[in-house]
Amino acid sequence: METFAQRLKLCRKRKRLTQKAAAEAVHIAFSTYRRYEQGISEPVLSDAVRIADFFGVTLDYLAGQSDYPTQLM
């Protein structure tokens, strides 16, 4: 199962963004975003929601609880 950090990095790379650009896009300090991708820390819910919304994926996908980036109907 992939971790939040692995999924976050994958989402960012799919959009061809640097860590700094992704951090700016979701209004998170670069150092904080970098720690999320390194798996050093995990985001508070409000940050996780902004990240998921920006990348167009579900929280379950980011958390590694689902292999489907978007919600299945």
Side-chain angles (χ1 to χ4, degrees):
M1 178 169 65
E2 292 178 318
T3 64
F4 178 87
Q6 292 168 322
R7 292 274 172 101
L8 179 59
K9 186 174 184 177
L10 180 63
C11 287
R12 177 181 59 80
K13 287 185 176 261
R14 283 184 180 154
K15 281 202 169 208
R16 297 181 177 170
L17 296 172
T18 64
Q19 287 181 337
K20 184 176 181 182
E24 289 173 358
V26 294
H27 308 288
I28 296 172
F30 168 67
S31 59
T32 301
Y33 184 91
R34 186 179 69 233
R35 286 193 302 270
Y36 293 164
E37 267 199 24
Q38 292 173 337
I40 295 170
S41 62
E42 293 187 354
V44 295
L45 184 57
S46 59
D47 286 353
V49 169
R50 280 198 315 276
I51 291 167
D53 286 347
F54 174 73
F55 288 116
V57 297
T58 64
L59 287 173
D60 282 346
Y61 176 77
L62 277 180
Q65 299 298 307
S66 170
D67 289 331
Y68 302 100
T70 57
Q71 188 174 17
L72 297 175
M73 294 283 171

